[in-house]
Amino acid sequence: MARVIQYTEFGGPEVLTLADVEAPEPGPGELGVRIDAAGVNPVDWKQRSGLRKTGAITTPRRPGSDGAGRITAVGAGVEGFAVGDEVVLFGATGLYATDVVVPAAHVLPRPPQVTAAEGAAIGIPAGTAYQALRSLDVTAADTLLIHGGSGAVGQAAIQFATLWGATVLATASPRRFDRVRELGATPIVYGDGLVDRVKDADPAGVTVIIDAAGTDEALDASLALLADTDRIATLVRGADAAGLGIQAYSGGAPHPLTAQQEAWRVEAMPVTLALMAAGAFSVELGPSFPLAQAAEAHRVVYAGVDGKVTLLP
């Protein structure tokens, strides 16, 4: 038997329930994986609550797209993997579980330098950050402003951009300044006077902006700082992007990703794992919870927390 977290109606964290189900067996092109850690992403609670529209629930929904574990079975036609291999899973479904079956295309070897929790923490944050930077064509010639630089996506974006040679400014609260500096960005406190503080930090002016905060202040400041709205993107306020004339990379309606953008999100995974193995990319881990406490994990992520929250089945 396997244990899974699922929900049959939209609502608060209390709709998440722990259930026993038959252990899945991989079909052709699939891998069976025992989950050691599952990443908890903001999109998980947004879908569970109904804030992020996903259609009517007709069968139990099982959250979790990012994880790490060990291969327990190899389906027909799958090469390059063996039982016992430690792996990272991304872009999957139902990973709040003890045992899962996933397409082999969504599985990568986990380097020994990367822990299971770290591997489970990178899928959506690294993929989103990498894709946004590639979509905006960020290069060493750019000065990038990131709203929400201390969050998981913001931290990933800082690291990719600085590795590519860009100058990075990032908004954060003062207590998070040290982490932002550690990653290579200049921290700037948000709040009244933000536009002036950004101009003071880099008088030459920013050339590209990513909003990972989703506040009115972030959007208003972005428009005040950069005339070229093609180089302003929001990862949170997709519904407002068209009216503001800026880019939106939240995925799903009304801004689905292009095939190229989806490909960049996939490309991010081996790139990030290689950087982590080389000690050139770090993940800030937050609290972890047993699988049965998935509801509490959602409450913590919703309230806001330093570092990536994980479930440890």
Side-chain angles (χ1 to χ4, degrees):
M1 299 292 288
R3 308 194 85 190
V4 302
I5 295 294
Q6 59 187 28
Y7 57 96
T8 56
E9 61 180 326
F10 298 118
E14 67 277 0
V15 302
L16 297 175
T17 60
L18 183 66
D20 292 318
V21 299
E22 290 294 329
E25 293 291 335
E30 296 180 329
L31 292 165
V33 179
R34 179 150 295 161
I35 298 296
D36 292 322
V40 180
N41 291 293
V43 71
D44 297 344
W45 71 255
K46 291 177 182 179
Q47 291 177 341
R48 182 218 73 226
S49 69
L51 179 64
R52 179 78 172 263
K53 302 305 180 185
T54 55
I57 298 176
T58 56
T59 58
R61 294 274 179 90
R62 297 175 182 171
S65 60
D66 301 335
R70 293 155 287 152
I71 293 177
T72 56
V74 179
V78 177
E79 299 180 351
F81 293 99
V83 171
D85 285 355
E86 295 182 327
V87 292
V88 169
L89 296 74
F90 62 97
T93 57
L95 300 191
Y96 290 15
T98 57
D99 297 89
V100 298
V101 163
V102 294
H106 295 270
V107 180
L108 288 170
R110 175 164 64 86
Q113 301 91 340
V114 179
T115 68
E118 290 170 337
I122 61 175
I124 285 181
T128 301
Y130 185 90
Q131 172 264 308
L133 293 166
R134 294 294 301 271
S135 295
L136 292 167
D137 194 25
V138 173
T139 70
D142 281 310
T143 296
L144 167 67
L145 171 63
I146 301 171
H147 296 287
S150 65
V153 175
Q155 290 191 30
I158 290 171
Q159 292 180 86
F160 287 132
T162 55
L163 284 167
W164 300 345
T167 298
V168 182
L169 315 177
T171 67
S173 63
R175 67 181 184 80
R176 300 288 281 152
F177 275 16
D178 286 347
R179 177 60 177 169
V180 170
R181 288 193 188 97
E182 178 186 341
L183 297 177
T186 298
I188 299 175
V189 68
Y190 47 73
D192 291 345
L194 174 60
V195 171
D196 289 336
R197 287 192 294 277
V198 172
K199 290 180 178 179
D200 289 343
D202 198 314
V206 298
T207 58
V208 58
I209 301 174
I210 293 176
D211 164 40
T215 62
D216 289 343
E217 176 191 64
L219 295 178
D220 291 344
S222 297
L223 294 169
L225 287 163
L226 186 58
D228 184 0
T229 55
D230 285 341
R231 300 205 79 203
I232 302 174
T234 180
L235 308 179
V236 187
R237 296 277 291 275
D240 301 313
L244 297 172
I246 65 176
Q247 308 302 308
Y249 305 134
S250 53
H255 298 284
L257 299 176
T258 66
Q260 177 61 79
Q261 289 166 349
E262 293 282 10
W264 278 328
R265 291 200 177 192
V266 173
E267 180 180 289
M269 291 303 297
V271 169
T272 305
L273 288 169
L275 289 171
M276 292 174 74
F281 190 102
S282 69
V283 171
E284 182 184 30
L285 294 176
S288 60
F289 297 86
L291 185 63
Q293 294 182 22
E296 181 60 22
H298 273 216
R299 292 186 184 98
V300 168
V301 172
Y302 175 79
V305 64
D306 294 346
K308 187 71 177 182
V309 173
T310 53
L311 297 175
L312 306 179

